[in-house]
Amino acid sequence: PGFDWNAQPKPPTSLELKNVSAPYMEHLIDKFGPERCMFESNFPIDKHNFSYTVVWNSFKLLTRGCSREEQAALFHDTACRVYRL
């Protein structure tokens, strides 16, 4: 994602990943709303930078202040509606 994680001595933690991505993600969620946003990953491409668990745990940390309905939209409901699942 442009943060040069691959150049660091060790991969980022979920909290580190959340802290650098939060300003961007929070801005988008604020502008579009959870019903128009969804979380996704760039795996397997990103596995050279951090683990799948780290990225999804960073999303969980990012949504700690969200309601259950907002979390459901970001992690599930929006994708189901958009992709007609």
Side-chain angles (χ1 to χ4, degrees):
F3 296 108
D4 294 323
W5 296 117
N6 58 324
Q8 303 301 319
K10 59 183 182 174
T13 64
S14 296
L15 183 58
E16 290 171 323
L17 188 56
K18 175 255 181 193
N19 287 342
V20 298
S21 60
Y24 306 100
M25 292 189 186
E26 288 172 349
H27 176 76
L28 292 170
I29 294 167
D30 181 54
K31 296 301 176 193
F32 292 104
E35 60 283 340
R36 292 177 61 200
C37 295
M38 66 182 92
F39 288 124
E40 55 84 22
S41 72
N42 193 31
F43 270 79
I45 307 304
D46 275 340
K47 72 180 178 180
H48 302 289
N49 298 308
F50 40 77
S51 74
Y52 192 72
T53 302
V54 164
V55 73
W56 285 100
N57 283 338
S58 75
F59 296 157
K60 292 177 193 175
L61 290 170
L62 184 78
T63 60
R64 277 193 172 162
C66 295
S67 70
R68 287 206 178 270
E69 293 80 16
E70 291 168 329
Q71 289 176 355
L74 292 165
F75 284 100
H76 177 270
D77 298 349
T78 302
C80 283
R81 188 183 72 255
V82 168
Y83 295 113
R84 299 180 183 143
L85 300 175

